[in-house]
Amino acid sequence: MGMWASLDAMWEMPAEKRIFGAVLLFSWTVYLWETFLAQRQRRIYKTTTHVPLELGQIMDSETFEKSRLYQLDKSTFSFWSGLYSEIEGTLILLFGGIPYLWRLSGRFCGYAGFGPEYEVLVTIYADYIAPLFDKFTPLPEGKLKQEIEVMAKSIDFPLTKVYVVEGSKRSSHSNAYFYGFFKNKRIVLFDTLLEEYSVLNRDIQEESGMEPRSDGEGDSEEIKAKVKSKKQGCKNEEVLAVLGHELGHWKLGHTVKNIIISQMNSFLCFFLFAVLIGRKELFAAFGFYDSQPTLIGLLIIFQFIFSPYNEVLSFCLTVLSRRFEFQADAFAKKLGKAKDLYSALIKLNKDNLGFPVSDWLFSMWHYSHPPLLERLQALKSSKQD
């Protein structure tokens, strides 16, 4: 009886108070769920101290331990930053921080010469300018370029140019992607993906005092061991396997499907925004009793009211993305690249300091790409064949 009485009392509260309480409750529910998942994954970081058997021949113990400690440090920082953000957001809502900051900005605009009827929004796109400073170099003529062109032609991919971008200036992460409209497609390879272009590999050779010979003769065991364990990037055959995976996304229509989903989601969100923007109780729930500024309406609806929808959509897109990744891996298999993709995935995981072992629930909720060991298992039978 007591619980039902409490629910009846809550339902009899004004609509704005019910909305405000639901927003806070959902926010803390999501935070506690995310913290629960993070602690499950942190337990994996703590207890998995040895390289999995599947990776033993490629990933050395030092790299594995470095990745494990790196992820542990990240999880510690994420816990405290997440807790701080949740408490800060709750206090801002409880003590009317949004209407206070809105009034403060109105007074500031008045001092600056703007009338109260103006709403000023200034957005800076730092990441929009940054790509202008990347250096794109055409991939030189040679065996790798010829094989890329042959593979593209075999699946009717309208390739026009192949570039190498100096991604190592900003990050050690390796990547490859394609872009372009219609019959004008281009492939871009990060220099960190290519063993021959990697700045790290050149640094290792300089530190060792000599450049290892391709046949391995005449090199000291110490130099060969160091180069093997520290080397970054993939061999040409592995680069082709990675490109086979990426081209699989194009051939299977994954890019088009993602664009369609994105457009449908945008249409739905703006349609619901148009329906909800006139509801005064939404503004009253966050302290706006006498006015309904459009900018505040955007904040309330997209950040708070749409939160449950966004969580569900995010999970569904994660599941779909993982399905697409398995399909692209299967496409690379059909091109005869299973063995090379197997080794390339391990090397890329090592270069990116990714931890290869994941809690199943954490990865299911967060990872847009399947965990490394799951992808290797899917490739294994074909690799053995």
Side-chain angles (χ1 to χ4, degrees):
M1 286 294 292
M3 182 183 70
W4 292 113
S6 299
L7 290 175
D8 289 339
M10 290 179 59
W11 189 251
E12 291 174 359
M13 294 172 62
E16 59 267 22
K17 291 190 178 296
R18 294 201 304 270
I19 293 171
F20 184 79
V23 166
L24 277 183
L25 177 62
F26 185 78
S27 177
W28 276 96
T29 300
V30 171
Y31 168 74
L32 293 175
W33 170 247
E34 295 282 2
T35 302
F36 167 71
L37 295 178
Q39 291 306 309
R40 287 177 62 101
Q41 183 62 21
R42 183 176 175 81
R43 193 179 304 117
I44 295 292
Y45 297 147
K46 286 185 174 181
T47 57
T48 308
T49 56
H50 300 288
V51 182
L53 292 176
E54 296 90 337
L55 313 180
Q57 294 182 347
I58 297 181
M59 179 176 285
D60 58 280
S61 298
E62 181 185 350
T63 301
F64 181 83
E65 182 65 10
K66 185 186 296 183
S67 172
R68 189 179 76 87
L69 295 177
Y70 171 68
Q71 297 297 338
L72 269 175
D73 288 343
K74 277 184 63 179
S75 68
T76 300
F77 176 78
S78 295
F79 171 77
W80 290 111
S81 64
L83 179 61
Y84 172 81
S85 296
E86 189 64 25
I87 292 175
E88 179 188 46
T90 300
L91 292 176
I92 288 175
L93 291 178
L94 287 174
F95 292 98
I98 296 177
Y100 170 76
L101 292 173
W102 180 254
R103 290 192 297 271
L104 188 65
S105 65
R107 287 197 292 268
F108 173 78
C109 289
Y111 294 144
F114 296 103
E117 69 276 8
Y118 286 91
E119 294 179 3
V120 181
L121 176 63
V122 179
T123 307
I124 299 174
Y125 294 97
D127 290 338
Y128 182 78
I129 300 172
L132 298 176
F133 297 93
D134 283 338
K135 182 179 179 182
F136 288 80
T137 306
L139 182 67
E141 296 293 336
K143 184 178 179 181
L144 176 60
K145 185 176 181 181
Q146 291 175 356
E147 291 179 335
I148 290 174
E149 291 172 343
V150 169
M151 182 170 64
K153 188 175 181 180
S154 69
I155 63 171
D156 299 321
F157 181 78
L159 178 65
T160 55
K161 294 180 181 179
V162 183
Y163 292 107
V164 178
V165 61
E166 292 186 357
S168 56
K169 287 186 175 181
R170 292 183 287 112
S171 171
S172 62
H173 283 220
S174 304
N175 198 6
Y177 62 91
F178 65 87
Y179 70 97
F181 293 103
F182 306 112
K183 299 294 183 181
N184 189 28
K185 305 288 188 184
R186 299 172 176 84
I187 288 176
V188 177
L189 307 172
F190 278 48
D191 59 345
T192 48
L193 177 66
L194 305 173
E195 196 174 86
E196 298 177 1
Y197 284 78
S198 173
V199 176
L200 177 62
N201 293 344
R202 292 199 294 269
D203 291 342
I204 291 172
Q205 292 171 2
E206 292 174 1
E207 290 174 7
S208 65
M210 65 178 291
E211 186 170 326
R213 295 169 50 180
S214 58
D215 58 5
E217 296 180 4
D219 296 344
S220 70
E221 292 299 322
E222 181 181 356
I223 291 175
K224 287 191 288 186
K226 183 176 182 180
V227 171
K228 182 180 179 181
S229 63
K230 300 295 184 183
K231 218 169 191 181
Q232 183 186 49
C234 299
K235 298 178 182 177
N236 286 357
E237 296 81 5
E238 295 165 340
V239 172
L240 287 170
V242 172
L243 283 179
H245 169 94
E246 295 299 328
L247 293 178
H249 286 304
W250 171 80
K251 190 68 174 180
L252 298 171
H254 295 165
T255 304
V256 174
K257 292 173 184 176
N258 282 329
I259 291 174
I260 292 173
I261 292 172
S262 175
Q263 293 302 311
M264 291 176 61
N265 177 59
S266 297
F267 174 80
L268 177 61
C269 286
F270 282 107
F271 171 76
L272 292 176
F273 172 77
V275 172
L276 297 173
I277 190 64
R279 303 298 295 267
K280 294 183 178 180
E281 58 267 29
L282 291 180
F283 291 90
F286 294 88
F288 291 86
Y289 299 99
D290 302 321
S291 62
Q292 292 84 41
T294 302
L295 184 59
I296 295 299
L298 282 168
L299 174 68
I300 292 173
I301 294 172
F302 281 95
Q303 182 170 338
F304 299 114
I305 306 303
F306 283 179
S307 290
Y309 166 75
N310 289 335
E311 290 293 328
V312 173
L313 177 65
S314 176
F315 175 70
C316 292
L317 292 179
T318 297
V319 173
L320 182 64
S321 175
R322 288 160 68 105
R323 180 178 175 82
F324 284 171
E325 292 302 317
F326 278 125
Q327 289 177 350
D329 284 350
F331 184 85
K333 280 187 190 179
K334 293 180 181 178
L335 295 178
K337 306 294 183 183
K339 181 179 179 180
D340 295 319
L341 183 59
Y342 189 98
S343 57
L345 289 174
I346 297 174
K347 288 184 178 181
L348 294 178
N349 186 83
K350 181 191 72 172
D351 292 345
N352 296 338
L353 277 184
F355 194 70
V357 184
S358 303
D359 174 74
W360 71 271
L361 192 56
F362 179 88
S363 63
M364 181 182 70
W365 187 261
H366 283 290
Y367 290 177
S368 61
H369 286 56
L372 175 63
L373 295 181
E374 290 184 20
R375 296 180 71 178
L376 297 182
Q377 187 62 36
L379 288 167
K380 197 169 185 179
S381 58
S382 180
K383 172 178 175 288
Q384 290 173 342
D385 295 341

